[in-house]
């Protein structure tokens, strides 16, 4: 039986088809509403607007559920690897051994960046924020591979771009860090796996060989899995919308990196650690900072709390909180910031302000503490998020292109001046 919703306006009723997803979510399709009734829909921040039908990621914010292509995040985080998850997102299914090996090898073939790119790193100021460097250099990759600008590329050409992005992003990211600290750059080592190679490029020094620690590599790999996709968030929507104009994939991903940078999105992980350090310096009075977060005249917000979609515990935050305890124990690190984070969480979760608004810790609340324990500096936290999100952005872009989605172009209601007469400058 056809499902539909009715909208009545000016005495006329319009029937709008209702679409149901495989997890039983429902949407009223308003594509014909304007031509039939003259009405558009208005939804600032797209809080209740579905931009697409997608088969990549499902999340239920009320129940705290997250799945990539039908697999529970808890299972993937515990049992799989970032490369398996990347294959799952990009190719649509979990790889068998041969597929995984070939996927890995294809990526490893492209870990080097063109030597000319070194000049860009030399030109950045030494204190350049790594996110600015990564965003620009990912976009710059398109200038090294001009064929990527052809919107009618073949499937093979697209896959080559995808392997290049997956291979080069860790190199660019680690070199952005080396730039920040003024250390010599380390070239990729293809016998190492994805996370291990990245850590080696970050921390190996001519004066001191970096010793890989299996627990550190595993923790990083899991963090990448947890960040790999999150349906139509700000940066992913940006990638899809930029890509919808047929801009090349490098530029679309670069736009995603920039969108991720803001403190209300991926930049929150850096903001959380900065907040915890501030609270620590201020004497560690958690109650005082909770009051500040509740005060509408105070711009302070509890960073790492609240989420546009989760109105329950972010399932990724649960996994990271446990991993955080395990990693700190394994590495023998004692970080007073974790005690501050735990008391903030405890006080906030029992406070009416946070309860009424369903504000729970999100993925960023504990991730910074693990990154810090792994030796990754604060300015690199959002880059770590971007590294993890890369396969998700890629698969969302592939889906958008594969569906032949039209160029993204919202409408508006104009509320400015009307019919003003031009006055020459000398008479104003
Ligand atoms: N601290 C204090 N109050 C908060 C917080 C917070 N962290 N988050 C939301 N609120 C309050 C708002 O002031 C608002 O209160 P009101 O109803 O009295 O006006 C209410 O809760 C709803 O908040 P909105 O901002 O309307 O919710 P929205 O869905 O637009 O924003 C967001 C979600 C941006 C994540 C918000 O919760 C926030 O700023 N959190 C802190 C930043 C952060 O951690 N971002 C990372 C998100 S996860 C990610 O992107 C990877």
């Amino acid at each position: 039986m056809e499902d539909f919703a009715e909208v009545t306006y000016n005495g006329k009723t319009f029937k709008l088809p209702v679409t149901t997803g495989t997890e039983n979510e429902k949407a009223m399709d308003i594509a014909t509403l304007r031509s039939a009734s003259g009405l558009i829909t208005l939804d600032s921040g797209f809080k209740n607007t579905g931009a697409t039908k997608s088969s990549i990621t499902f999340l239920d914010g009320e129940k705290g559920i997250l799945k990539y292509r039908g697999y529970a995040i808890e299972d993937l985080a515990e049992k799989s690897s970032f490369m398996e998850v990347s294959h799952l997102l990009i190719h649509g299914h979990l790889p068998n051994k041969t597929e995984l090996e070939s996927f890995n090898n294809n990526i490893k073939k492209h870990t080097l960046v063109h030597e000319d790119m070194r000049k860009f790193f030399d030109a950045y100021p030494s204190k350049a924020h790594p996110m600015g460097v990564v965003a620009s250099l990912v976009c710059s990759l398109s200038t090294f591979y001009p064929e990527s600008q052809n919107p009618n590329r073949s499937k093979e050409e697209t896959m080559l771009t995808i392997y290049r992005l997956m291979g080069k992003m860790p190199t660019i990211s680690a070199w952005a860090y080396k730039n920040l600290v003024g250390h010599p750059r380390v070239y990729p080592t293809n016998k190492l796996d994805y996370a291990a190679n990245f850590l080696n490029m970050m921390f190996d020094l001519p004066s001191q060989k970096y010793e890989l620690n299996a627990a550190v590599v595993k923790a990083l790999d899991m963090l990448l899995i947890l960040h790999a996709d999150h349906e139509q968030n700000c940066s992913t929507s940006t990638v899809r919308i930029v890509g919808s104009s047929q801009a090349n994939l490098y530029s679309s991903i670069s736009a995603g990196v920039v969108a991720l940078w803001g403190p209300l999105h991926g930049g929150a992980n850096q903001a959380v650690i900065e907040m915890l350090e501030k609270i620590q310096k201020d004497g560690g009075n958690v109650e005082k900072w909770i009051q500040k977060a509740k005060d509408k005249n105070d711009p302070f917000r509890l960073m790492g709390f609240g989420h546009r979609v989760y109105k329950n515990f972010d399932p990724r935050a649960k996994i990271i909180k446990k991993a955080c305890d395990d990693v700190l124990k394994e590495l023998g690190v004692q970080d007073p910031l974790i005690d501050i984070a735990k008391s903030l969480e405890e006080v906030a979760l029992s406070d009416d302000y946070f309860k009424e608004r369903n504000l729970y810790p999100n993925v960023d609340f504990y991730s910074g503490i693990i990154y810090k324990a792994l030796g990754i500096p604060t300015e690199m936290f959002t880059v770590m998020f971007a590294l993890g999100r890369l396969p998700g952005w890629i698969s969302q872009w592939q889906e958008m292109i594969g569906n032949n989605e039209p160029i993204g172009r919202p409408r508006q209601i104009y509320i400015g001046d009307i019919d003003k007469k031009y006055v020459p400058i000398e008479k104003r």
Side-chain angles (χ1 to χ4, degrees), residues 5 18 20 51 62 90 95 110 130 144 162 182 195 220 239 247 338 366 392 421 423:
V18 167
T20 306
E62 275 72 34
I90 291 168
H110 298 285
F144 288 83
I162 291 173
L220 177 58
V239 170
I338 190 141
Y366 286 104
K421 286 265 177 298
V423 180

Side-chain angles (χ1 to χ4, degrees), residues 92-354:
H93 64 274
L94 279 174
N96 60 29
K97 273 192 176 160
T98 323
E99 286 169 326
L100 183 61
E101 202 179 305
S102 138
F103 186 68
N104 246 322
N105 288 340
N106 280 324
I107 290 172
K108 283 182 178 179
K109 263 186 223 156
H110 298 285
T111 49
L112 275 175
V113 294
H114 196 290
E115 279 295 292
D116 284 353
M117 263 206 159
R118 293 177 62 100
K119 295 181 198 144
F120 296 148
F121 285 93
D122 292 339
Y124 276 107
S126 58
K127 292 286 169 234
H129 194 288
M131 279 299 274
V133 176
V134 171
S136 325
L137 293 189
V138 168
C139 190
S140 300
L141 284 173
S142 64
T143 64
F144 288 83
Y145 307 105
E147 67 283 3
S148 66
Q149 287 153 35
N150 171 14
N152 303 315
R153 71 219 138 230
S154 65
K155 196 166 176 260
E156 290 68 35
E157 283 167 322
T158 299
M159 279 317 297
L160 181 59
T161 302
I162 291 173
Y163 292 133
R164 281 186 178 135
L165 269 166
M166 290 290 295
K168 292 176 200 310
M169 180 93 155
T171 312
I172 290 174
S173 302
W175 285 14
Y177 163 70
K178 290 293 197 189
N179 201 58
L180 182 76
V181 289
H183 289 175
R185 288 159 213 136
V186 176
Y187 280 87
T189 308
N190 285 350
K191 66 175 193 296
L192 295 175
D193 285 339
Y194 206 76
N197 172 46
F198 174 72
L199 286 165
N200 190 60
M201 286 191 288
M202 285 274 289
F203 299 122
D204 195 46
L205 288 169
S207 50
Q208 199 174 351
K209 182 102 205 79
Y210 179 64
E211 298 294 338
L212 283 163
N213 172 323
V216 170
V217 176
K218 190 165 180 289
L220 177 58
D221 199 73
M222 187 208 62
L223 284 164
L224 295 176
I225 294 174
L226 293 180
H227 287 90
D229 196 51
H230 212 235
E231 52 121 300
Q232 310 309 316
N233 54 78
C234 175
S235 55
T236 302
S237 301
T238 302
V239 170
R240 287 183 83 127
I241 226 167
V242 172
S244 76
S245 75
Q246 299 198 344
N248 64 77
L249 180 54
Y250 297 112
S251 313
S252 307
I253 297 292
S254 158
V257 175
V258 176
L260 187 74
W261 194 358
L264 297 189
H265 191 13
N269 54 17
Q270 172 168 346
V272 169
I273 286 289
E274 287 166 355
M275 171 188 78
L276 295 174
E277 285 170 349
K278 211 164 166 183
I279 297 176
Q280 184 190 30
K281 265 199 200 130
D282 188 52
N285 184 348
V286 163
E287 293 282 354
K288 172 183 157 186
W289 289 84
I290 293 281
Q291 288 311 319
K292 274 168 76 62
K294 287 158 52 173
D295 181 355
K296 295 288 172 205
N297 297 316
D298 189 324
F300 175 74
R301 274 193 168 197
L302 202 53
M303 298 314 288
F305 254 75
H307 196 277
R308 168 59 58 80
V309 190
Y310 290 120
K311 302 302 168 198
N312 198 323
F313 240 96
D314 179 338
R316 302 166 300 172
K318 274 192 198 163
I319 301 171
I320 295 189
K321 187 179 176 186
K322 164 140 195 338
C324 203
D325 284 335
D326 295 348
V327 166
L328 293 188
K329 208 164 141 201
E330 172 78 31
L331 299 180
V333 173
Q334 281 189 333
D335 190 341
L337 294 190
I338 190 141
D339 299 326
I340 296 179
K342 283 185 175 167
S343 352
L344 267 180
E345 179 188 330
E346 201 183 312
V347 177
L349 290 183
S350 57
D351 187 292
D352 283 345
Y353 173 96
F354 291 88

Side-chain angles (χ1 to χ4, degrees), residues 54-57 68-69 85-92 162 165-166 228-232 236 239-240 249 253 389-403 405:
S54 178
S55 55
I56 303 171
T57 289
Y68 300 157
R69 300 213 185 263
V85 168
S86 299
H87 186 287
L88 173 69
L89 292 169
I90 291 168
H91 288 299
I162 291 173
L165 269 166
M166 290 290 295
D229 196 51
H230 212 235
E231 52 121 300
Q232 310 309 316
T236 302
V239 170
R240 287 183 83 127
L249 180 54
I253 297 292
R389 184 54 55 87
L390 180 62
W393 285 331
I394 291 172
S395 68
Q396 296 275 351
W397 175 91
Q398 285 175 298
E399 185 175 72
M400 183 271 305
I401 294 287
N403 289 346
E405 289 181 18

